[in-house]
Amino acid sequence: MAEEILGKSVQQLKKERTIAKSSFTRQAKFISRGASSMLQVELKEEFTKLSDCFRKMLDANDDYRIGLEADIKTEDEDGGLDELQEADIDKSVKEGETKLEEIRDIVQTNLWSKYGGSELPVAILEAEKANDKAADVPVESANLEGYEVHLVLLDKRIKEAISAMSTWERWIPVELKDELGGRVKDLRASYYRLELRKAEFATARTINEQGTGVKLLPQPATFTPITCDAGNRSMDEGALREQTWTCKVQRDPSLMYCEAAVARFPTW
C-alpha cells in the first residue's frame, strides 16, 4: 500500500499534488502579469522560483503515481494504472512543461530586450575592437612595449566578453546563440595567435640593436603624467590609453593630437 512505501495515503498524495500544481500555476501567473515591469534580478529570481515549483509538482505527481500503483498491486499483483489514471498523470506533466516554456519565453524576451541584448554584443564588440587594434600594430623594433600594452587591454576585454557570455548564455535567443558564441570563440583563438606574435617584435628589436649597435631601453613601469586640454585634467598615460574622446596632448617636445593615445602612439 501507499502508506507502507511513502508513509502517506493515496488521498494525501493526491492532495499534495493539487497543492503543488496550484503553487506552480500561481507563480506562473505572477510572472506573466508582472514581467514587463520587473528588473533583471527580479525576472531571474522569479523564474528560479517557478522552476522550483515545477520540480515540486513533478515530484508530487511521481509520488501520486507510485502510491496509486502500490494500492493497485495490493489487490492485484499484476495490475497497473488504467487509461484514465495514466492520462491524468501524463497530462499534469505536459501541461506543466508547456506552461514553464511559455513563461520562460516571456522572461527571456524581457531580459534580452532590456539587458542582455545590449550588454553581451557590446562586450564582444569592444573585445573585437581591441583585437583589431593589436593586430594592426606594425612589427617594428620600437613597438614591442606598445604591442604588449595592446595585448593586456585585449586580454581584459576578452575576459569581460566571456563573463558577459556566461551571464547571458541561458537567455540568448536561439537564432543568435551560435553567432555570439562563435565570436567569443574566435576572440580566444585570435588572442593566442597575437600572443605568439610578440616573438616577431622581439626579433625585430634584436635585429635593430645588432644593426645599429644601440640597445633600446624598455619602457618604464610607471607612466609620466600628461596634461589634456579637455577639462584641463591631468592623466597618466595608462589611463589615457583607454580614452575614446578626442583630446589634445602635450608631450615634450612637440604638440600632438589623438583620438585614443594607444591608436596613434602604439609604442606607449
Side-chain angles (χ1 to χ4, degrees):
M1 295 181 66
E3 288 91 340
E4 296 176 355
I5 297 176
L6 299 172
K8 300 175 183 178
S9 67
V10 169
Q11 288 73 24
Q12 287 176 303
L13 294 171
K14 185 175 183 179
K15 182 179 180 180
E16 289 182 358
R17 186 185 72 155
T18 300
I19 293 173
K21 290 172 68 174
S22 296
S23 296
F24 174 75
T25 301
R26 186 165 54 251
Q27 180 65 12
K29 288 181 178 179
F30 174 74
I31 296 175
S32 179
R33 292 171 179 171
S36 60
S37 61
M38 290 182 186
L39 300 176
Q40 178 183 159
V41 65
E42 292 175 318
L43 286 164
K44 291 181 178 180
E45 286 179 353
E46 295 303 331
F47 187 77
T48 297
K49 292 178 184 178
L50 181 67
S51 298
D52 289 340
C53 288
F54 179 66
R55 283 190 290 270
K56 290 177 181 178
M57 187 186 74
L58 291 182
D59 289 342
N61 199 52
D62 287 341
D63 287 347
Y64 178 55
R65 174 194 286 275
I66 293 171
L68 280 174
E69 291 175 339
D71 275 10
I72 291 171
K73 290 184 181 299
T74 299
E75 300 177 1
D76 181 1
E77 189 172 334
D78 297 325
L81 302 182
D82 60 35
E83 291 184 4
L84 290 177
Q85 290 170 327
E86 285 282 5
D88 175 57
I89 291 172
D90 290 344
K91 180 182 178 182
S92 295
V93 175
K94 291 178 181 177
E95 287 181 346
E97 290 174 341
T98 300
K99 179 58 67 173
L100 182 67
E101 189 61 28
E102 175 189 323
I103 300 303
R104 186 191 181 283
D105 288 344
I106 292 174
V107 172
Q108 180 190 51
T109 298
N110 280 274
L111 281 173
W112 190 252
S113 63
K114 294 178 182 177
Y115 308 104
S118 57
E119 183 178 316
L120 177 56
V122 166
I124 294 175
L125 182 60
E126 288 302 311
E128 289 172 339
K129 288 179 180 178
N131 181 80
D132 291 343
K133 288 182 179 180
D136 288 342
V137 177
V139 179
E140 297 175 0
S141 173
N143 288 346
L144 175 58
E145 287 77 16
Y147 185 68
E148 290 174 341
V149 170
H150 277 285
L151 289 183
V152 170
L153 178 60
L154 175 58
D155 181 55
K156 177 183 177 183
R157 293 289 182 256
I158 290 177
K159 287 178 179 177
E160 291 170 349
I162 292 173
S163 176
M165 174 61 76
S166 177
T167 298
W168 292 107
E169 188 170 14
R170 182 182 184 185
W171 305 106
I172 300 173
V174 175
E175 64 272 16
L176 296 177
K177 186 164 290 189
D178 287 344
E179 177 205 338
L180 295 175
R183 288 167 67 185
V184 172
K185 184 178 180 180
D186 290 344
L187 282 167
R188 285 174 166 175
S190 180
Y191 176 79
Y192 293 128
R193 289 195 299 270
L194 292 174
E195 178 74 18
L196 293 174
R197 190 169 173 245
K198 281 199 301 184
E200 298 178 28
F201 288 86
T203 299
R205 172 68 58 85
T206 300
I207 293 173
N208 180 74
E209 291 174 350
Q210 291 175 345
T212 62
V214 178
K215 185 173 182 179
L216 296 179
L217 296 177
Q219 294 290 332
T222 57
F223 299 104
T224 304
I226 295 176
T227 301
C228 177
D229 282 0
N232 292 321
R233 288 176 289 183
S234 181
M235 309 168 60
D236 62 32
E237 292 183 9
L240 186 57
R241 287 193 190 93
E242 296 193 38
Q243 296 301 315
T244 56
W245 36 267
T246 302
C247 62
K248 186 166 62 178
V249 180
Q250 177 69 54
R251 192 181 190 192
D252 187 45
S254 62
L255 189 65
M256 297 177 289
Y257 292 86
C258 72
E259 291 184 352
V262 71
R264 291 291 301 275
F265 309 116
T267 59
W268 286 9

